[in-house]
């Protein structure tokens, strides 16, 4: 419970509610050298408790419903992008150029799943789209030279560092000085009046509208969780920046999906914002500011809004404007060294930085809504994968080793028909007494829905 206690404290939660959380320990779930299982359990448990707290507030319950965190359900959900089957077809994961590569003095990891990132990587190296050509080019350069050259070209490559090397890096120092969950009150809007809840299941976010301006993976996990809890979540993507279909499907449960040009269709966006309760962004810090979408600007135009922001490296330090993904943060922060061997870097048993940060982000939104119902004010919450990584490496001790054996995700998988085909998927791990057991609707193809609220 130590990790859950810390996460709940970082969210501003009342410690008196922690006894409402119970856990089912399953030995072997999310097995790694670092305490991944404990991190995952804490993030999901804090999120479930935040949902139960808000549900109790809106329903007038005498006490917060009990929360149950099952390591099996958590492990299945932290592998959700791997569990998805579409008409029996396994998802496409990492592209051929998204991998570890040897350099003249070490290793780098690249991320080239998106076509524009692949093109920029190849341009930076001056080679054709060929694995052997990339391998030969990287072998002639130092890891840091590759990192800087590829980032300068707008691509993604990160040099492998040990935990000790990362700890003294200027970006790591900035990250370590920040709280796990940054929470800011913006303005003095009146207390939020939340409509009372009735019926079953208990949906803490029912009636709330969430603008989802996120992309793979942490942000969409957060908004997928808010959709589970009853929110009307509208994911908005630029029309010319197609999302990877399998990842969009995995994180699209419970949501609607639309496309919108923030320049040409500005009036439509402002209409959406005017009726939104929550705006979640997952682009690089500052990338949306030129559209008037900074937290401060949003709060000025929509008093009482909750703005949630997630990024790879944080909104501060020399890497604040760099693109990043879970796999790259693992490489920079030393996780790949800890989880690897002298011959080969390794990785966590799941994209735990993405998933864990996503559940914490959803929890921060839920807690902000609860606080607004008492105190008012627009709210801004912010998390970073690099800060979650710092917590995993330096802040979480190993938990209990005994418990039932984890025999795989089978009990926590389900199937449903959808417009995408027959889907097999991981059930949500967020669970409390009276709460939902599954999403109300399956995902839809990218850009299916009109840009308006239901």
């Amino acid at each position: 419970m130590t990790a859950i206690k810390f996460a709940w404290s970082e969210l501003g939660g009342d410690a008196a509610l922690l006894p409402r959380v119970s856990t089912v320990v399953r030995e072997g779930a999310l097995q790694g050298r670092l305490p991944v299982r404990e991190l995952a359990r804490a993030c999901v448990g804090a999120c479930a408790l935040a949902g139960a707290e808000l549900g109790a507030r809106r329903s007038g319950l005498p006490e917060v419903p009990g929360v149950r965190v099952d390591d099996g359900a958590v492990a299945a959900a932290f592998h959700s992008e791997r569990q998805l089957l579409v008409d029996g077809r396994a998802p496409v994961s990492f592209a051929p150029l998204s991998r570890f590569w040897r350099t003249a003095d070490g290793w780098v990891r690249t991320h080239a799943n998106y076509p524009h990132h692949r093109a920029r990587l190849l341009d930076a190296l001056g080679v054709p789209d060929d694995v052997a050509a990339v391998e030969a080019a990287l072998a002639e350069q130092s890891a840091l030279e590759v990192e800087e050259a590829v980032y300068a070209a707008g691509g993604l490559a990160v040099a492998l560092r040990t935990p000790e090397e990362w700890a003294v890096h200027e970006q790591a120092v900035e990250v370590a000085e920040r709280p796990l969950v940054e929470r800011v009150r913006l303005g003095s809007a009146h207390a939020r009046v939340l409509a009372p809840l009735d019926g079953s299941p208990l949906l803490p976010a029912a009636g709330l509208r969430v603008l989802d301006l996120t992309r793979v993976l942490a942000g969409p996990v957060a908004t997928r969780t808010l959709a589970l809890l009853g929110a009307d979540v509208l994911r908005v993507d630029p029309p010319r920046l197609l999302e990877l279909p399998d990842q969009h499907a995995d994180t699209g449960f419970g949501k609607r999906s639309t496309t919108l040009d923030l320049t040409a269709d500005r009036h439509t966006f402002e209409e959406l914002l005017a009726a939104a309760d929550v705006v979640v962004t997952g682009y690089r810090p500052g990338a949306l500011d030129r559209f008037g979408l900074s937290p401060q600007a949003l709060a000025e135009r929509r008093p009482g809004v909750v703005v949630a922001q997630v990024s790879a490296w944080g909104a501060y330090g020399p890497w604040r404007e760099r693109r990043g993904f879970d796999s790259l943060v693992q490489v920079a922060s030393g996780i790949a060294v800890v989880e690897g061997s002298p011959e080969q870097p390794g990785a966590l048993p799941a994209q735990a930085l993405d998933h864990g940060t996503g559940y914490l982000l959803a929890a921060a939104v839920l807690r902000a809504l609860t606080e607004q119902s008492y105190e008012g004010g627009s709210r801004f919450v912010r998390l970073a994968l690099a800060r979650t990584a710092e917590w995993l490496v330096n802040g979480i001790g190993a938990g209990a080793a005994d418990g039932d054996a984890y025999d795989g995700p089978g009990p926590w998988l389900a199937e449903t028909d959808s417009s995408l085909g027959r889907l097999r998927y991981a059930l949500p791990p967020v669970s409390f007494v009276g709460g939902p057991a599954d999403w109300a609707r399956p995902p839809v193809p990218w850009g299916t829905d009109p840009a308006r609220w239901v």
Side-chain angles (χ1 to χ4, degrees), residues 61-78:
L61 299 177
E63 64 178 4
V64 171
V67 167
R68 185 174 185 266
V69 187
D70 190 312
D71 282 349
V74 173
F78 269 56

Side-chain angles (χ1 to χ4, degrees), residues 8 14 16-21 48-67 197 202 204 370 374 432-435:
W8 187 241
D14 182 358
L17 296 181
L18 287 170
R20 305 301 298 160
V21 181
L49 186 56
E53 178 192 34
L54 180 60
R57 170 68 171 162
R58 295 188 64 182
S59 300
L61 299 177
E63 64 178 4
V64 171
V67 167
L197 296 178
L202 178 62
T370 297
Y374 292 101
F432 52 86
V433 174

Side-chain angles (χ1 to χ4, degrees), residues 134-215:
V134 172
E135 191 169 43
L138 292 174
E140 296 177 351
Q141 304 178 57
S142 74
L144 290 178
E145 285 173 344
V146 172
E147 179 180 275
E148 290 305 318
V150 173
Y151 266 100
L156 295 108
V158 170
L160 180 71
R161 292 170 172 83
T162 66
E164 294 76 20
E165 289 169 337
W166 178 245
V168 297
H169 191 282
E170 188 177 349
Q171 186 65 30
V173 172
E174 289 270 5
V175 165
E177 292 177 347
R178 305 285 173 148
L180 179 64
V181 182
E182 296 182 71
R183 303 160 50 243
V184 179
R185 178 169 176 165
L186 302 173
S188 55
H190 295 300
R192 180 182 291 275
V193 179
L194 295 169
L197 296 178
D198 55 16
S200 181
L202 178 62
L203 298 173
L208 296 172
R209 291 168 167 169
V210 178
L211 266 178
D212 179 1
L213 308 179
T214 69
R215 293 177 76 81

Side-chain angles (χ1 to χ4, degrees), residues 185-194 302-305 368-369 371-379:
R185 178 169 176 165
L186 302 173
S188 55
H190 295 300
R192 180 182 291 275
V193 179
L194 295 169
R302 178 67 171 97
V305 72
L369 292 166
E371 291 177 345
Q372 281 185 329
S373 71
Y374 292 101
E375 304 168 0
S378 301
R379 304 287 168 141

Side-chain angles (χ1 to χ4, degrees), residues 124-322:
L125 298 177
V127 298
D129 190 356
D130 177 78
V131 170
V134 172
E135 191 169 43
L138 292 174
E140 296 177 351
Q141 304 178 57
S142 74
L144 290 178
E145 285 173 344
V146 172
E147 179 180 275
E148 290 305 318
V150 173
Y151 266 100
L156 295 108
V158 170
L160 180 71
R161 292 170 172 83
T162 66
E164 294 76 20
E165 289 169 337
W166 178 245
V168 297
H169 191 282
E170 188 177 349
Q171 186 65 30
V173 172
E174 289 270 5
V175 165
E177 292 177 347
R178 305 285 173 148
L180 179 64
V181 182
E182 296 182 71
R183 303 160 50 243
V184 179
R185 178 169 176 165
L186 302 173
S188 55
H190 295 300
R192 180 182 291 275
V193 179
L194 295 169
L197 296 178
D198 55 16
S200 181
L202 178 62
L203 298 173
L208 296 172
R209 291 168 167 169
V210 178
L211 266 178
D212 179 1
L213 308 179
T214 69
R215 293 177 76 81
V216 175
L217 180 61
V221 166
T223 49
R224 181 181 68 183
T225 304
L226 296 174
L228 168 74
L229 299 179
D232 177 10
V233 178
L234 181 63
R235 172 157 167 170
V236 180
D237 282 287
R240 290 173 294 279
L241 193 60
L242 185 68
E243 180 58 287
L244 301 174
D246 289 339
Q247 294 181 343
H248 186 268
D250 169 53
T251 58
F253 282 86
K255 305 180 188 179
R256 295 180 298 118
S257 172
T258 194
T259 59
L260 194 67
D261 186 319
L262 291 181
T263 300
D265 299 320
R266 190 50 186 252
H267 178 71
T268 301
F269 178 82
E270 292 300 323
E271 287 184 334
L272 291 172
L273 175 63
D277 300 287
V278 178
V279 179
V280 185
T281 69
Y283 292 80
R284 287 177 297 145
L288 296 177
D289 290 6
R290 63 191 176 96
F291 297 105
L293 301 182
S294 69
Q296 293 78 10
L298 290 169
E300 288 173 4
R301 302 204 304 282
R302 178 67 171 97
V305 72
V306 174
V307 181
Q309 184 184 90
V310 62
S311 65
W313 306 109
Y316 32 75
W319 284 19
R320 63 186 178 277
E321 295 183 354
R322 290 199 175 192

